[in-house]
């Protein structure tokens, strides 16, 4: 690989001069690795590279000018100069070296750009003063703060003003460096990271010290601070920093590959951006414990790269989590790439993905494993499973809850929707297949049979939970208790969550279900091998023959009484489903 020697100059305005030299990992060259946002691909700035005029972007020129020493060369690795960007073969080869390059640098320099209006300086000063505190202790004050430490309302709190929080968010949230996918890999791998703006510097380790709890963890199925007691303001401010901290820790642990699968890494950084969509996969390969044979092949088009990654993940995991538990919104995503198979995530744009959490054996609707290797024909994947039911007779009879004047779904609005659905004759008269009381089956369906106690992991409802909640919601239905008591149910948070993003449905086979919003008459519910939850599929006529039908993926679903493998012995039709 190559190293850039940034030659010194005592004159700040003088042209930047650099030299490229070959290096090897065996020689243990000492160098720093620069991470920065390329910006628009306008190469309007000029430097001297090996004595020849060379055009670069203004952002890179700005960074090099501020990083240049007055009295000695500075040895850097800079992707735009150390890799021949016009050579696809070299780009592919060098991408394969990125983990080694950033792991072997002395430090990673994260260039934040110029400090406009002194905001970055204010933020760095504040973070230095906060050192020793935890973000759980950070408070808010509407007024300028004189005495920052407060003991009101319990434990000590370090109060920050609106301007303080705004400055920190300018540094840790709004700066474009946090949205670039390549930068995520680079600062995750570098042994030391220094945030830099003009002559200002801040050690990344100081930011990590504010996140010292160690109990917050992100993988393909968990949000940042998902089980923590962090305030919304602190969560919004430090969410990206926490994701990076988690990834840096994972990169340094030996032997344990938990949380480092390719799917975990792709999901962890799904909200990042890249100029080339393929880099949403390629730029993260260096962070995965196993790349599954995915290579940074820029001769492949975007759809081929995404499909290849999805197939390899399915084959490695032997399940369909990437389809039925996808963090990437496929259905009704206006920015989704046209022509991409419905079962393949659009890694370039996550959308607003919602999925029915089924990890930790909460649900196991289908057989644990699917048949591998995945069988592909013209982008269609043949999957084995069971047909539960079409959805046509009753689908449109359950209107979505009406939000209040503030656009909020309150307890009264929630109860009005539940009562409206329940009192429909064909719902309240239905006797479920399990011999369970219909009303109990109904409300358990709305909650997807789950609860999430405060600051704890999501769980299935226990027999005690069901009995307790059933007594309470019956009392509300019968007018003994007020609707506000709905909030006392063990499963209340799940009811709210499901009503926000899902719709109730009675299938043609009379199964109580919660299905994705946007499901339509004619869709079917199936349980596929390797799928933890049922899936809603939409029939799609084949291009070859109108009589041959394939299916596109709408999304995961909850079907009461069929979430724990009951379909396998329940007499349902087993068949192949070609998913396009």
């Amino acid at each position: 690989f190559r190293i850039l020697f940034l030659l010194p100059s005592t004159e700040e305005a003088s042209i930047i001069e650099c030299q490229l030299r070959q290096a090897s990992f065996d020689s243990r060259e000492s160098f720093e690795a620069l991470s920065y946002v390329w910006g628009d691909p306008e190469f309007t700035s000029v430097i001297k590279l090996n004595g020849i005029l060379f055009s670069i972007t203004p952002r890179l020129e700005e960074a090099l000018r501020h990083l240049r020493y007055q009295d000695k060369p500075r040895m850097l690795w800079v992707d735009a100069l150390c890799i021949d960007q016009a050579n696809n073969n070299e780009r592919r080869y060098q991408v394969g070296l990125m983990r080694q390059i950033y792991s072997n640098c002395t430090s990673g320099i994260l260039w934040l750009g110029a400090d406009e209006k002194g905001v970055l300086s204010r933020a760095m000063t504040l973070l230095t003063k906060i050192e020793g505190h935890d973000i759980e202790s950070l408070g808010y004050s509407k007024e300028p703060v004189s005495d920052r430490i407060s003991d009101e309302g319990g434990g000590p709190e370090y109060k920050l003003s609106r301007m303080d929080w705004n400055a920190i968010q300018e540094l840790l949230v709004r700066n474009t460096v946090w949205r670039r996918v390549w930068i995520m890999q680079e600062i995750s791998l570098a042994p030391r990271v220094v945030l830099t703006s003009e002559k200002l510097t801040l050690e990344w380790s100081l930011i990590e010290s504010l996140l010292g709890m160690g109990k917050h963890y992100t993988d393909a199925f968990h949000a940042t601070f998902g089980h923590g007691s962090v305030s919304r303001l602190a969560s919004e401010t430090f969410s990206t920093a926490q994701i990076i901290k988690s990834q840096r820790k994972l990169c340094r642990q030996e032997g344990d590959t938990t949380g480092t699968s390719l799917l975990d890494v792709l999901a962890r950084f799904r909200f990042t951006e890249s100029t080339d969509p393929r880099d949403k996969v390629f730029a993260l390969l260096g962070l995965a414990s196993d790349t599954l044979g995915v290579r940074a092949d820029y001769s492949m088009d975007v759809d081929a790269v995404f499909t290849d990654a999805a197939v390899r993940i399915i084959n490695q995991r032997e399940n369909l989590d990437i389809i039925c538990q996808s963090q990437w919104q496929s259905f009704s995503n206006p920015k989704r790439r046209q022509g991409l198979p419905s079962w393949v995530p659009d890694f370039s744009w996550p959308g607003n993905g919602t999925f029915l959490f089924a990890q930790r054996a909460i649900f196991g609707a289908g057989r644990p494993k699917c048949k591998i290797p995945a069988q592909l024909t013209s982008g269609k994947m043949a999957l084995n499973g069971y047909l539960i039911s079409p959805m046509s007779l009753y689908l449109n009879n359950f209107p979505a809850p009406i939000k209040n004047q503030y656009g909020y779904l309150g307890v009264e609005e929630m109860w009005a929707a539940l009562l409206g659905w329940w009192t429909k004759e064909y719902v309240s008269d239905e006797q479920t297949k399990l011999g369970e009381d219909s009303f109990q089956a109904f409300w358990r369906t709305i909650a997807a049979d789950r609860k999430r106690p405060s600051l704890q992991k999501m769980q299935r409802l226990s027999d005690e939970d069901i009995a307790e909640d059933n007594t309470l919601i019956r009392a509300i239905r019968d007018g003994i208790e007020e609707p506000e008591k709905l909030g006392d149910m063990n499963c209340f948070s799940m009811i709210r969550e499901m009503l926000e993003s899902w719709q109730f449905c009675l299938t043609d086979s009379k199964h109580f279900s919660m299905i994705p919003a946007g499901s339509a008459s004619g869709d079917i519910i199936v349980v596929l091998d390797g799928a933890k939850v049922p899936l809603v599929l939409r029939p799609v006529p084949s291009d070859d023959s109108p009589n041959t039908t394939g299916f596109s993926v709408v999304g995961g679903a909850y079907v009461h009484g069929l979430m724990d493998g009951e379909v396998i012995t329940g007499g349902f039709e087993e068949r192949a489903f070609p998913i396009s």
Side-chain angles (χ1 to χ4, degrees):
F1 70 104
R2 304 182 187 95
I3 289 180
L4 184 79
F5 279 66
L6 177 59
L7 302 181
S9 176
T10 56
E11 297 181 17
E12 186 174 344
S14 65
I15 189 169
I16 293 169
E17 297 189 57
C18 307
Q19 294 177 354
L20 282 174
R21 300 182 187 176
Q22 288 295 132
S24 68
F25 297 113
D26 293 335
S27 63
R28 298 191 179 278
E29 297 270 8
S30 178
F31 66 95
E32 300 166 287
L34 177 63
S35 297
Y36 67 103
V37 177
W38 278 43
D40 295 331
E42 298 176 356
F43 300 88
T44 56
S45 297
V46 176
I47 64 172
K48 278 189 177 180
L49 184 64
N50 292 344
I52 300 171
L53 293 179
F54 189 86
S55 296
I56 61 174
T57 64
R59 290 199 180 185
L60 178 54
E61 196 267 350
E62 174 190 63
L64 294 176
R65 188 167 297 282
H66 283 95
L67 293 173
R68 179 170 59 178
Y69 290 141
Q70 292 187 353
D71 56 349
K72 60 180 180 180
R74 191 166 191 172
M75 287 165 282
L76 301 169
W77 188 86
V78 183
D79 55 1
L81 300 176
C82 295
I83 300 175
D84 182 355
Q85 298 293 329
N87 187 326
N88 277 344
N89 288 331
E90 178 166 329
R91 286 174 68 194
R92 179 172 61 242
Y93 175 73
Q94 290 290 332
V95 167
L97 297 179
M98 292 286 277
R99 185 181 183 101
Q100 283 180 280
I101 290 170
Y102 274 87
S103 298
N104 284 279
C105 69
T106 56
S107 61
I109 302 170
L110 182 57
W111 177 252
L112 302 170
D115 184 20
E116 297 180 8
K117 301 180 180 179
V119 176
L120 298 182
S121 174
R122 180 188 182 95
M124 290 182 180
T125 301
L126 274 168
L127 290 171
T128 302
K129 288 182 178 179
I130 294 171
E131 186 176 12
H133 290 76
D134 191 283
I135 63 169
E136 289 188 1
S137 69
L138 299 185
Y140 172 73
S141 173
K142 292 183 179 179
E143 304 299 328
V145 182
S146 54
D147 184 6
R148 293 183 179 275
I149 304 297
S150 168
D151 287 301
E152 297 176 8
E157 188 178 64
Y158 193 94
K159 291 190 173 182
L160 299 175
S161 69
R162 184 188 301 274
M163 288 184 65
D164 293 338
W165 280 107
N166 183 68
I168 296 174
Q169 289 188 346
E170 285 292 333
L171 174 65
L172 296 180
V173 180
R174 300 188 191 105
N175 195 294
T176 53
V177 297
W178 309 114
R179 297 197 293 271
R180 306 309 297 177
V181 66
W182 279 109
I183 290 175
M184 295 301 100
Q185 175 183 247
E186 294 160 6
I187 60 178
S188 295
L189 293 170
R192 171 178 174 243
V193 176
V194 183
L195 280 63
T196 307
S197 171
E198 299 177 3
K199 301 303 178 184
L200 303 168
T201 60
L202 180 73
E203 292 282 341
W204 173 261
S205 58
L206 187 149
I207 298 173
E208 285 200 353
S209 72
L210 304 175
L211 304 164
M213 301 85 72
K215 61 189 177 186
H216 303 298
Y217 172 72
T218 56
D219 64 10
F221 308 102
H222 291 82
T224 315
F225 303 123
H227 301 142
S229 56
V230 176
S231 71
R232 181 175 179 179
L233 183 57
S235 177
E236 291 173 351
T237 304
F238 291 95
S239 179
T240 299
Q242 173 59 37
I243 290 172
I244 295 168
K245 180 191 174 181
S246 294
Q247 186 61 59
R248 284 177 59 81
K249 181 179 179 181
L250 291 168
C251 287
R252 281 152 186 74
Q253 65 187 20
E254 294 186 10
D256 183 4
T257 59
T258 304
T260 63
S261 72
L262 182 58
L263 178 58
D264 284 327
V265 173
L266 293 174
R268 189 172 292 127
F269 296 107
R270 65 190 180 280
F271 290 107
T272 56
E273 300 170 358
S274 63
T275 303
D276 186 334
R278 295 171 293 187
D279 286 337
K280 287 298 295 287
V281 175
F282 296 160
L284 297 172
L285 294 176
L287 300 180
S289 55
D290 186 349
T291 64
L292 310 182
V294 177
R295 297 173 64 241
D297 186 351
Y298 287 95
S299 67
M300 296 172 65
D301 65 33
V302 177
D303 289 2
V305 170
F306 290 178
T307 300
D308 177 62
V311 168
R312 291 175 185 273
I313 288 170
I314 290 171
N315 287 339
Q316 186 262 340
R317 299 173 71 93
E318 297 184 66
N319 65 39
L320 302 181
D321 280 355
I322 199 169
I323 300 176
C324 67
Q325 293 277 91
S326 180
Q327 288 274 24
W328 294 266
Q329 179 188 3
S330 295
F331 184 71
S332 296
N333 183 351
K335 295 189 177 181
R336 180 176 168 82
R337 295 183 61 83
Q338 298 298 313
L340 193 65
S342 67
W343 55 272
V344 176
D346 184 351
F347 296 113
S348 65
W349 183 250
N352 299 308
T354 57
F355 64 94
L356 195 65
F357 185 84
Q359 304 313 112
R360 302 191 219 98
I362 285 183
F363 298 124
R367 292 188 177 96
K369 296 182 179 182
C370 61
K371 182 179 179 181
I372 60 168
Q375 302 296 315
L376 287 184
T377 305
S378 301
K380 286 185 180 179
M381 182 164 55
L383 295 172
N384 185 73
Y386 297 86
L387 174 64
I388 294 177
S389 175
M391 297 185 297
S392 57
L393 297 179
Y394 310 103
L395 181 65
N396 299 319
N397 296 350
F398 303 98
I402 300 174
K403 296 182 179 180
N404 61 25
Q405 59 182 327
Y406 306 106
Y408 179 71
L409 196 60
V411 174
E412 289 187 7
E413 291 77 26
M414 294 166 63
W415 179 245
L418 296 184
L419 197 59
W421 298 340
W422 169 250
T423 53
K424 291 185 182 295
E425 183 178 351
Y426 39 80
V427 175
S428 55
D429 288 348
E430 167 65 8
Q431 294 298 311
T432 65
K433 311 295 183 292
L434 302 177
E436 182 181 15
D437 173 80
S438 291
F439 187 64
Q440 178 174 290
F442 169 75
W443 68 256
R444 285 177 66 189
T445 300
I446 305 300
D449 204 34
R450 300 170 303 164
K451 66 176 182 178
R452 179 159 44 204
S454 178
L455 307 183
Q456 296 184 37
K457 299 175 180 178
M458 191 181 296
Q459 306 164 27
R460 286 289 284 274
L461 292 174
S462 66
D463 290 342
E464 281 187 7
D465 295 328
I466 293 169
E468 188 177 313
D469 283 357
N470 195 49
T471 299
L472 178 55
I473 196 169
R474 280 180 176 277
I476 298 171
R477 183 196 65 181
D478 297 338
I480 300 171
E481 295 285 3
E482 294 297 320
E484 287 75 14
K485 284 289 187 177
L486 198 69
D488 294 338
M489 294 180 68
N490 295 295
C491 62
F492 176 71
S493 64
M494 293 292 93
I495 290 177
R496 181 190 295 281
E497 179 179 297
M498 295 301 291
L499 291 180
E500 289 280 0
S501 306
W502 304 73
Q503 67 184 84
F504 176 74
C505 172
L506 186 65
T507 69
D508 292 6
S509 59
K510 297 289 188 72
H511 285 92
F512 291 153
S513 307
M514 292 298 286
I515 58 178
S519 299
S521 180
D523 291 349
I524 64 172
I525 298 185
V526 304
V527 171
L528 301 176
D529 292 349
K532 293 181 174 67
V533 300
L535 277 175
V536 175
L537 300 180
R538 180 159 298 169
V540 179
S542 171
D543 293 335
D544 303 326
S545 170
N547 299 321
T548 305
T549 301
F551 300 90
S552 63
V553 175
V554 176
Y558 175 90
V559 181
H560 193 66
L562 298 179
M563 301 302 293
D564 300 297
E566 294 88 348
V567 295
I568 299 171
T569 57
F572 292 88
E573 176 191 355
E574 185 173 7
R575 50 168 287 190
F577 296 90
I579 313 297
S580 59

